[in-house]
Amino acid sequence: SYARRCKRRVNASSSVHVAPNYYTIFILYYQVLNFGMIVSSALMIWKGLMVVTGSESPIVVVLSGSMEPAFHRGDLLFLTNRVEDPIRVGEIVVFRIEGREIPIVHRVLKIHEKDNGDIKFLTKGDNNAVDDRGLYKQGQHWLEKKDVVGRARGFVPYIGIVTILMNDYPKFKYAVLCLLGLFVLVHRE
């Protein structure tokens, strides 16, 4: 790497005297810069996926068993949310309910279309006995298109289980973050 070549040149040259701290500071600066580039690259990829898919959250993890057997807890879903695509009965949507942080993954059960073209719809988890009206905010009987985060277009089974483990066991999350931070600081290339 560039840092190793610089160290060799400094050590090989007897006429140049550099304080021993310089190399350590250079390596630390290089690692911090490298970490910043990794974080900014991840953010750019995420924002790019948001633009391409039209969804505020293009990738989500299934957190419950309410959609079994279609999706299991820990499955990673890929979403799109194009405005021009109509919502259909049987389609799996991810939606937000006012007052709840975590979006819900359920299937569209019924559609109610008004004369002016507005569409409202009702959802239900495949593994649930009743529809989702009990989950909606009080007085709300239908969802609207504005509530939709995205529609499931593909999935990878069980990849998101790490996310669930980190949420369920905070000590595991801190251990993983510490190991990743340590790896970034110790890794020299």
Side-chain angles (χ1 to χ4, degrees):
S1 77
Y2 178 73
R4 286 185 187 161
R5 288 192 306 267
C6 286
K7 184 177 179 184
R8 277 191 222 123
R9 275 191 224 128
V10 168
N11 289 341
S13 171
S14 60
S15 62
V16 177
H17 176 53
V18 178
N21 249 356
Y22 175 75
Y23 180 71
T24 307
I25 291 170
F26 178 78
I27 291 297
L28 184 62
Y29 173 74
Y30 181 75
Q31 289 171 336
V32 168
L33 189 63
N34 197 16
F35 180 73
M37 289 175 58
I38 290 169
V39 169
S40 62
S41 295
L43 288 173
M44 287 189 304
I45 290 169
W46 184 258
K47 289 294 184 182
L49 282 173
M50 288 173 65
V51 169
V52 169
T53 63
S55 175
E56 68 185 64
S57 186
I59 300 172
V60 296
V61 175
V62 177
L63 298 176
S64 74
S66 67
M67 280 303 293
E68 290 180 0
F71 299 121
H72 297 277
R73 191 168 191 249
D75 288 355
L76 192 71
L77 299 181
F78 301 102
L79 309 179
T80 62
N81 196 21
R82 294 194 173 76
V83 178
E84 62 274 0
D85 293 342
I87 293 175
R88 297 179 184 96
V89 171
E91 194 168 36
I92 296 170
V93 295
V94 178
F95 59 91
R96 282 195 198 279
I97 297 173
E98 191 176 315
R100 291 185 178 219
E101 277 185 42
I102 299 172
I104 299 171
V105 180
H106 281 175
R107 191 179 302 274
V108 175
L109 186 63
K110 293 180 185 175
I111 291 182
H112 178 70
E113 189 170 354
K114 292 185 176 180
D115 294 333
N116 64 2
D118 287 345
I119 293 176
K120 293 187 176 191
F121 56 94
L122 180 65
T123 57
K124 176 186 173 291
D126 291 355
N127 203 20
N128 293 350
V130 295
D131 62 42
D132 291 341
R133 287 186 178 148
L135 297 175
Y136 303 160
K137 71 178 181 179
Q138 192 169 358
Q140 182 180 10
H141 300 292
W142 300 86
L143 292 174
E144 297 176 13
K145 198 156 183 169
K146 68 175 177 60
D147 299 317
V148 175
V149 173
R151 297 178 234 182
R153 298 297 184 210
F155 77 102
V156 178
Y158 302 113
I159 292 292
I161 202 74
V162 175
T163 302
I164 292 173
L165 288 172
M166 285 204 254
N167 285 334
D168 289 352
Y169 304 103
K171 289 179 182 177
F172 177 72
K173 174 173 47 177
Y174 296 127
V176 168
L177 291 175
C178 286
L179 286 174
L180 287 174
L182 186 65
F183 176 76
V184 168
L185 291 175
V186 172
H187 189 64
R188 295 191 180 254
E189 303 239 2

